Every structure is written in structure tokens, then in C-alpha cells.
Amino acid sequence: MKNKKPLFIALIAVDVAITVFLFVISIIMLAKTAGKTANEIQNATGLIGYLQNHPLVYGLAFVVPLFLLLAGNIIGLVIYVKKTTERKPMQVNDLSEEQKEALRQELLKELQENSEKKE
């Protein structure tokens, strides 16, 4: 696949949209249900009223997918961070002249200390 970047941007946008939708429905459910009596909840109409009267549908359609989506996002973030922070061995060619000279001096010092210890 040549152009992965637009695909990833589209997938992230869809992921964010679905997460926000599920989260907003959950907040509305909490706000509409808090402080109401059982009779008021049974008389509620519309989507929120239906979800209030059928908590299993609400849980399976909104709460479980929200948790699965959030868990997937966390796992994806951990994998992305691990992949981008992998340490690659540094090559001598990657060092500047000052760094090379400092490395030479350090190696000479260690060699001198090792030769003194052996004597």
C-alpha cells in the first residue's frame, strides 16, 4: 500500500467520532436517569427512554463497545510508543568530531587503568 497515512487519518477520525458518540450517549443517560423515580423512567420516551427501560440493550450497545474501543486505543498507543522508541545501535559515523575525540580519550583512559591493574 502506497498511501497509508490518509488511511490511518481516516481510521483515527472514525475512531474518535464513534468514541465521542458513545461517550455522549452515556453522559446523557447518566444525566437523564439521575434523580428520577422508577415511574418517571418507565414513562420516558425516545431513544434515551428506551435505553433507560432496557439496560441490557444499553450495556451491550453502548457501554461494552466504549470500553472495548478505549482498551484498543490504549493497546494501540502502547504498541506505537514501543515501536517509535526502539533503540538502534549508534554507529561511529553518526558521531560528531568532538564526540569521537571524547570517546577516544575515554577509551585510552580505560585502557591505561586496565593495564595498571594487571601490573
Side-chain angles (χ1 to χ4, degrees):
M1 241 175 126
K2 224 178 196 181
N3 297 326
K4 287 186 178 181
K5 193 172 186 177
L7 177 64
F8 285 133
I9 291 172
L11 288 174
I12 290 171
V14 168
D15 178 51
V16 168
I18 291 171
T19 303
V20 168
F21 171 74
L22 294 173
F23 196 63
V24 167
I25 293 293
S26 296
I27 291 173
I28 291 171
M29 280 288 293
L30 287 173
K32 295 280 185 177
T33 306
K36 289 196 174 183
T37 63
N39 194 23
E40 289 174 329
I41 291 174
Q42 280 204 334
N43 292 332
T45 59
L47 174 66
I48 301 300
Y50 177 80
L51 294 175
Q52 287 174 337
N53 290 317
H54 300 91
L56 183 65
V57 173
Y58 168 67
L60 293 176
F62 293 94
V63 177
V64 172
L66 181 62
F67 280 113
L68 292 176
L69 203 56
L70 290 175
N73 288 338
I74 291 170
I75 291 169
L77 178 65
V78 168
I79 291 170
Y80 174 76
V81 168
K82 280 187 175 182
K83 195 180 284 187
T84 57
T85 59
E86 286 180 355
R87 292 188 177 181
K88 297 175 185 162
M90 182 173 266
Q91 302 294 325
V92 176
N93 297 338
D94 296 339
L95 299 174
S96 67
E97 291 302 319
E98 297 86 24
Q99 291 172 327
K100 287 179 185 178
E101 185 60 35
L103 185 59
R104 280 188 201 104
Q105 295 298 325
E106 188 177 326
L107 288 172
L108 281 173
K109 183 179 176 183
E110 286 180 18
L111 286 173
Q112 288 173 352
E113 288 174 4
N114 287 340
S115 65
E116 289 173 4
K117 287 180 183 179
K118 288 182 180 179
E119 293 177 356

